[in-house]
Amino acid sequence: MSGIKLIKPFICYRSQVELVIDADDQGELALAFGELLRRLWAPGRTAIAPRQFKMKLARFAPQFSGYNQHDSQELLAFLLDGLHEDLNRVKHKPYKKSKDADGRPDEEVADEYWASHIARNDSIIVDVCQGQYKSTLVCPECNKISVTFDPFMYLSLPLQSTTTRSMTVTVFTCDGSALPFACTVTVPKQGRCRDLMNALSCACSLKNSEELKLAEVRNHLFQRFLEDPLISLSTIKDDDHLAAYKIAKSLKKTLLLRLIHRCQEQETGDTKAAQKLKPFGTPLVSLISHDDVITRGDIQKVVHTMLSPLLRSESLRQADIPEPCSSLAASDMCHHSSSDEACTNPLSDSMNKDSSGSRAVTLFKLPLQLVEESNACIDLSVGEDKTIKLSSTSTSMLVYVDWSQELLEKYDIHYLENLPEVFKYGPVNKKARTEPLSLYTCLEGFLREEPLVPEDMWYCPKCKERRQASKKLDLWRLPEVLVIHLKRFSYSRSMKHKLETFVNFPIRDFDLTNYIANKNNTQRQLYELYALTNHYGGMGSGHYTAHIKLLDENRWYNFDDAHISPINEEDVKSAAAYVLFYRRVKTVDAISNGENSGTGHNNGSSLK
């Protein structure tokens, strides 16, 4: 029942407005909550076990049934939405179509959106807990600007404890000059892809004749190439896998050769070997000249060069590949290197150690398959002199290398396996737990302009296509009770993580005046903290407590299950703070949520 504890701060901020439910509606959740309020505010100070309320809650939200750990912020979100629906004064919601701003004044558009919202949603929850923010989307292609004004029930703020971020990328050379290596660099947390590329270029000593091609690898395939220098680094998650490929700058017309590794799956009774092939390892890339005719042998040579650092030493001494037509001059092994730099190919050096520089080196045939535009495969291990037919508009080619057991014995492929994550979480050190972070900094991170994630792209009405638009949020109007959720829990494809960052939040004089985008509102926006919930422990298990200020006594108390004890105000702050509850300070120049809306809708509540 740990999630139920979040109700304490909410119900301890008592409203003089009664819960009025239409007789035609059931309103079971609101009735159960109202009964819980009545018991809590009855004379006497005895612990209340909210069993009946929990049973009713589980009926409408089965995810909160049982006695496992539940997220208190998710419970609060469901409870507020449920109470709003039960207490909504609007019984027949009119259809309201939202209109884009189209250059109209923000004040006019905001009031229009708020009036439309109130026409369908009119309850004490809206009166007390809902605010409004301005959302601005900008298309990166046509610069179309879309402005909307949306309601919010609470603010979920990120914990951006630092302004920089460590990112690990595996660097590969396509000229066979070095083994792949992991490179960790520090970049601005809100930086762009160009910042990562610049840091990698310095860290891996990139030459003037070289450039980097950055790619995200997922399931042993290329997920995407990060070619746009303005891509936000926030779109790259900590559990993503990145690879950077050193390729030579070239004035000639070149094609990007994408090499995917495949191996056979375990025997499953299927006699078709082609169906058993599956991708593995890390894909590689290289360049191949498109000025001249490309033959199957040319592709063999390029792939040999790419794989040469992985060749085992005993394989270098073997002369087991017979066909003389597959020979390649050692001096040609580095044809992608700059002409004014010495060739440092370890394969050619090792194989020519006891021979003259002009002697040809014999290369064995690799089991390569070229994927044509029709998705048909061409076997590149035969017909070395045959020309590859490519479209004049082609910019890349896809080649599979099918690894047999015999081939695996020739190469040390562990360098291609276990690509490291961009960032690997480890134990949270003491400094990270105690380093203070201002709540204002968290708010600024929430309001900062950022590009949308690729999975949530915006349909541009002007381009008629989905675009990765940049999004900017601004606070427009604030509620009477402001709930702030600190995003301590992060979820990714492979793991869950809790941030133990200490957030220094104001108890009094939480001033949001300068964060209001509505410049016609000149009133001060001051808030004071009256309650918060804490979460102790990790992701799978934990414990909730609450710190609450009883306003009549002007004193703080700690609520820990059935145990209640007074605490000093300076002890309210801790690294366990999870959800904060603020109330608007009544000043001479303060205005309510509805009084400045321009819609004639007043809060109608006097909060105590």
Side-chain angles (χ1 to χ4, degrees):
M1 296 176 63
S2 58
I4 295 293
K5 297 171 190 173
L6 187 78
I7 297 173
K8 295 175 186 172
F10 184 60
I11 58 184
C12 285
Y13 189 65
R14 184 173 47 177
S15 171
Q16 293 179 352
V17 177
E18 298 295 329
L19 302 182
V20 180
I21 303 172
D22 194 295
D24 296 333
D25 293 334
Q26 296 298 317
E28 293 184 47
L29 183 63
L31 287 171
F33 184 68
E35 175 60 21
L36 180 60
L37 283 177
R38 186 192 65 78
R39 295 177 63 195
L40 281 169
W41 287 103
R45 295 195 174 188
T46 59
I48 301 297
R51 294 188 182 89
Q52 294 300 319
F53 175 76
K54 185 180 185 300
M55 290 174 58
K56 190 67 67 175
L57 179 72
R59 176 181 171 186
F60 293 102
Q63 66 268 31
F64 298 119
S65 61
Y67 296 91
N68 293 327
Q69 177 80 64
H70 301 293
D71 187 274
S72 59
Q73 187 272 332
E74 293 177 2
L75 170 64
L76 177 65
F78 173 82
L79 178 61
L80 291 177
D81 285 338
L83 290 175
H84 161 67
E85 289 300 326
D86 278 358
L87 303 173
N88 196 353
R89 305 176 185 107
V90 179
K91 303 307 175 184
H92 303 286
K93 299 181 180 181
Y95 174 73
K96 296 285 185 178
K97 185 177 181 180
S98 300
K99 299 179 182 179
D100 201 356
D102 288 330
R104 292 182 293 158
D106 284 346
E107 293 75 16
E108 175 186 339
V109 180
D111 288 346
E112 181 181 279
Y113 268 83
W114 189 253
S116 177
H117 176 64
I118 294 300
R120 296 172 55 84
N121 304 276
D122 187 6
S123 72
I124 186 176
I125 303 300
V126 174
D127 294 341
V128 175
C129 299
Q130 283 198 356
Q132 186 183 34
Y133 59 71
K134 174 184 176 183
S135 175
T136 306
L137 291 170
V138 180
C139 177
E141 298 295 328
C142 68
N143 293 321
K144 162 70 178 176
I145 299 176
S146 174
V147 178
T148 58
F149 292 84
D150 304 306
F152 68 84
M153 194 86 76
Y154 49 85
L155 300 178
S156 290
L157 305 187
L159 303 189
Q160 296 175 320
S161 56
T162 62
T163 58
T164 59
R165 175 187 182 188
S166 292
M167 302 184 72
T168 298
V169 181
T170 305
V171 180
F172 296 83
T173 58
C174 63
D175 62 357
S177 62
L179 287 167
F181 61 95
C183 184
T184 301
V185 295
T186 300
V187 294
K189 198 161 193 175
Q190 301 301 320
R192 304 284 179 169
C193 191
R194 62 191 175 198
D195 299 312
L196 177 57
M197 296 291 281
N198 291 336
L200 286 173
S201 299
C202 296
C204 68
S205 302
L206 195 70
K207 301 172 183 175
N208 292 332
S209 59
E210 297 173 324
E211 60 184 355
L212 289 177
K213 182 167 285 291
L214 189 64
E216 179 185 343
V217 176
R218 188 178 301 172
N219 296 326
H220 314 292
L221 301 173
F222 290 114
Q223 177 71 14
R224 58 171 174 159
F225 284 95
L226 303 169
E227 298 179 311
D228 185 354
L230 297 180
I231 292 177
S232 173
L233 295 182
S234 63
T235 65
I236 303 174
K237 308 304 180 186
D238 285 341
D239 61 342
D240 285 341
H241 302 270
L242 296 185
Y245 303 90
K246 283 186 179 183
I247 58 177
K249 292 180 181 178
S250 176
L251 299 177
K252 298 180 180 180
K253 185 177 181 181
T254 56
L255 289 173
L256 186 69
L257 190 154
R258 295 173 291 147
L259 183 68
I260 307 296
H261 310 280
R262 299 191 302 186
C263 65
Q264 289 192 358
E265 290 181 315
Q266 297 293 327
E267 293 292 337
T268 58
D270 196 334
T271 58
K272 295 183 179 181
Q275 295 182 356
K276 301 174 187 176
L277 293 172
K278 65 175 183 179
F280 82 100
T282 306
L284 303 175
V285 299
S286 187
L287 295 179
I288 187 167
S289 175
H290 197 15
D291 281 343
D292 305 319
V293 174
I294 301 176
T295 65
R296 299 182 184 182
D298 292 332
I299 299 177
Q300 283 276 346
K301 296 172 187 176
V302 172
V303 176
H304 264 291
T305 303
M306 296 165 67
L307 299 177
S308 60
L310 311 180
L311 202 60
R312 299 182 190 273
S313 56
E314 57 268 23
S315 299
L316 293 174
R317 295 190 293 269
Q318 293 177 358
D320 54 347
I321 320 316
E323 296 191 29
C325 61
S326 63
S327 63
L328 173 67
S331 59
D332 293 334
M333 293 289 287
C334 295
H335 63 279
H336 286 313
S337 300
S338 176
S339 58
D340 59 347
E341 294 172 355
C343 173
T344 59
N345 189 310
L347 175 63
S348 59
D349 290 345
S350 301
M351 298 184 73
N352 286 283
K353 189 180 297 183
D354 299 321
S355 59
S356 63
S358 61
R359 182 176 176 179
V361 177
T362 301
L363 299 177
F364 52 86
K365 295 292 183 59
L366 290 168
L368 304 180
Q369 299 283 334
L370 172 66
V371 181
E372 291 187 304
E373 294 180 356
S374 62
N375 286 331
C377 289
I378 300 176
D379 187 357
L380 301 180
S381 61
V382 295
E384 180 182 44
D385 295 328
K386 287 189 176 181
T387 302
I388 301 297
K389 295 181 180 179
L390 295 169
S391 169
S392 59
T393 59
S394 296
T395 58
S396 67
M397 63 171 62
L398 176 62
V399 176
Y400 290 117
V401 53
D402 297 332
W403 291 84
S404 62
Q405 187 58 40
E406 180 183 3
L407 191 60
L408 289 172
E409 293 174 357
K410 296 180 181 295
Y411 290 90
D412 187 358
I413 63 166
H414 84 273
Y415 293 100
L416 302 177
E417 300 173 342
N418 302 322
L419 203 63
E421 294 180 354
V422 168
F423 181 78
K424 188 71 174 178
Y425 283 105
V428 180
N429 58 40
K430 184 175 181 180
K431 180 179 179 182
R433 289 196 301 266
T434 58
E435 185 179 359
L437 171 65
S438 169
L439 185 62
Y440 291 105
T441 303
C442 297
L443 179 61
E444 290 162 4
F446 174 75
L447 300 176
R448 185 178 293 115
E449 181 179 0
E450 289 184 345
L452 297 174
V453 295
E455 308 88 64
D456 191 27
M457 292 202 297
W458 171 62
Y459 181 80
C460 176
K462 187 175 180 180
C463 295
K464 306 297 182 183
E465 291 186 23
R466 301 191 72 82
R467 301 294 190 190
Q468 191 177 7
S470 62
K471 184 175 183 178
K472 175 73 171 70
L473 292 179
D474 292 288
L475 299 179
W476 189 260
R477 75 179 80 224
L478 295 175
E480 198 73 20
V481 172
L482 178 63
V483 180
I484 294 180
H485 163 229
L486 302 178
K487 297 175 68 173
R488 294 199 175 276
F489 302 105
S490 62
Y491 304 85
S492 61
R493 289 184 294 269
S494 62
M495 68 171 298
K496 300 176 182 179
H497 181 66
K498 180 187 176 184
L499 296 174
E500 301 282 357
T501 308
F502 175 81
V503 178
N504 186 15
F505 48 87
I507 295 179
R508 298 187 187 86
D509 297 331
F510 182 32
D511 193 349
L512 297 176
T513 306
N514 294 331
Y515 294 92
I516 300 297
N518 185 0
K519 300 308 177 185
N520 287 346
N521 185 351
T522 58
Q523 312 299 322
R524 292 191 69 187
Q525 302 291 319
L526 284 179
Y527 285 82
E528 69 173 357
L529 187 75
Y530 73 88
L532 71 150
T533 59
N534 304 295
H535 181 272
Y536 298 93
M539 293 291 299
S541 62
H543 182 65
Y544 284 106
T545 68
H547 296 328
I548 301 172
K549 183 178 183 179
L550 296 187
L551 303 180
D552 293 341
E553 299 181 14
N554 194 30
R555 189 171 185 180
W556 284 91
Y557 287 86
N558 177 52
F559 289 75
D560 188 353
D561 290 337
H563 304 285
I564 303 174
S565 57
I567 59 171
N568 296 323
E569 185 174 285
E570 56 268 23
D571 296 328
V572 167
K573 299 181 182 181
S574 75
Y578 185 43
V579 182
L580 310 175
F581 295 81
Y582 284 92
R583 69 180 189 124
R584 189 194 300 276
V585 176
K586 298 295 183 181
T587 59
V588 175
D589 58 352
I591 58 174
S592 69
N593 186 20
E595 290 171 344
N596 194 47
S597 67
T599 64
H601 177 76
N602 194 293
N603 284 334
S605 61
S606 175
L607 297 175
K608 184 176 179 181

